[in-house]
Amino acid sequence: MARYVALFGSINVGGNRLKMVDLRSAFEAEGFSNVETVVASGNVLFDHDARPTRGLEEKLGLMVDDRFDMTSAVVVRDRDELAAAISDNPFAGTNEDKFVHTMFLTDQPTPAQFDQLVGDHLGRGGEKMALGDRMLFLGYGDGVADSKLTGPFIERRLGCKGTARNMRSIARIVAKLDEEKKAK
């Protein structure tokens, strides 16, 4: 069995309310094991037979839509991919962790799509962006609340869905995975 993290977008924000106990139950009903949520914003740790994460993303997206009538971007990563969201983020350590984010993407944007995003956002708010492997690294400068660099803005330009987490949240999930590994 492999250990994975499912990151759901738009859970418990903007009216999409979902209790984590219900989400865990849905995972268990679908045959996933050792299911645990971290923070009440759609971060789910689970065990499953090793397989490509894209298939898991599709299955989980259909599950949430079917069981909760909720459409959500879903990305699945393993522990090392999640840790890379910190180590590969060029903005990590340059500002408060709550202002440095990684947006986990469902697909890999082309360089032209990334250039379009940068060009359309150039000069707004002092944010910084860098493209990674199915990740967009974001430095929000003075804060996220007033930024025009929103999920829908990014998704339209990159041609794929995604969900963002700040460095503090990512580090918390990685630490939880590491604790579990040591306990085994």
Side-chain angles (χ1 to χ4, degrees), residues 61-137:
L62 291 170
M63 176 193 75
V64 168
D65 186 34
D66 182 54
R67 290 180 181 268
F68 305 107
D69 195 28
M70 184 182 297
T71 302
S72 176
V74 184
V75 296
V76 176
R77 301 292 191 266
D78 64 25
R79 185 254 177 236
D80 292 341
E81 290 170 316
L82 200 64
I86 297 171
S87 64
D88 294 353
N89 190 320
F91 313 119
T94 63
N95 199 349
E96 292 181 59
D97 284 351
K98 66 183 179 181
F99 297 145
V100 178
H101 289 221
T102 296
M103 185 170 190
F104 297 91
L105 304 171
T106 57
D107 295 297
Q108 181 64 38
T110 66
Q113 289 170 314
F114 177 69
D115 290 345
Q116 178 73 43
L117 171 64
V118 172
D120 287 352
H121 190 67
L122 197 61
R124 293 186 187 181
E127 291 99 354
K128 300 174 194 169
M129 296 175 271
L131 191 58
D133 182 17
R134 291 195 312 144
M135 293 184 270
L136 178 66
F137 304 116

Side-chain angles (χ1 to χ4, degrees), residues 9-57:
S10 303
I11 296 284
N12 292 337
V13 295
N16 282 336
R17 298 288 173 213
L18 181 58
K19 293 180 181 175
M20 292 300 101
V21 66
D22 295 335
L23 186 56
R24 283 192 304 273
S25 294
F27 266 74
E28 290 164 353
E30 291 291 328
F32 296 100
S33 60
N34 197 18
V35 179
E36 185 177 357
T37 55
V38 180
V39 189
S41 58
N43 307 307
V44 184
L45 309 178
F46 64 96
D47 291 345
H48 194 277
D49 293 332
R51 65 186 285 188
T53 55
R54 289 187 193 269
L56 291 170
E57 290 169 349

